[in-house]
Amino acid sequence: MALQPNQGNQFQCPPADPIMTDPERVVRDFYHPQKVQVIHPIQIVNRHHCVPVYEHVYTCTETDEYCGTHPHPHQGMLRK
């Protein structure tokens, strides 16, 4: 075998023919968003209730009463 130029006394092997193996399968999964509508039906029920709420209403009357030990001079007298 011949020595390669500029290599000194080192021996270098010539390039070999490549060996081809069967392909190895590599799977790469990619995920992409897909919109799917989820419909949530909502039923609104308006319920009305009567609740007693007290409203205090006051009435006022006024009367005059005579309170005394001596009767009024005209009380009980008949006019002529």
Side-chain angles (χ1 to χ4, degrees):
M1 291 199 152
L3 294 175
Q4 298 293 326
N6 299 327
Q7 295 294 323
N9 291 334
Q10 278 187 326
F11 176 79
Q12 189 173 8
C13 297
D17 291 333
I19 299 173
M20 183 67 84
T21 62
D22 291 336
E24 194 172 318
R25 185 172 183 221
V26 176
V27 176
R28 299 188 315 165
D29 293 322
F30 295 90
Y31 297 93
H32 304 279
Q34 178 186 26
K35 287 186 176 182
V36 177
Q37 288 187 347
V38 178
I39 299 171
H40 301 271
I42 298 173
Q43 180 185 26
I44 297 175
V45 177
N46 295 319
R47 295 169 43 164
H48 300 271
H49 302 272
C50 292
V51 178
V53 176
Y54 298 113
E55 178 183 2
H56 298 277
V57 178
Y58 299 94
T59 60
C60 181
T61 59
E62 183 176 339
T63 60
D64 292 322
E65 292 184 354
Y66 177 75
C67 298
T69 56
H70 302 290
H72 191 270
H74 300 288
Q75 188 176 12
M77 296 176 95
L78 293 176
R79 292 186 131 192
K80 293 187 183 179

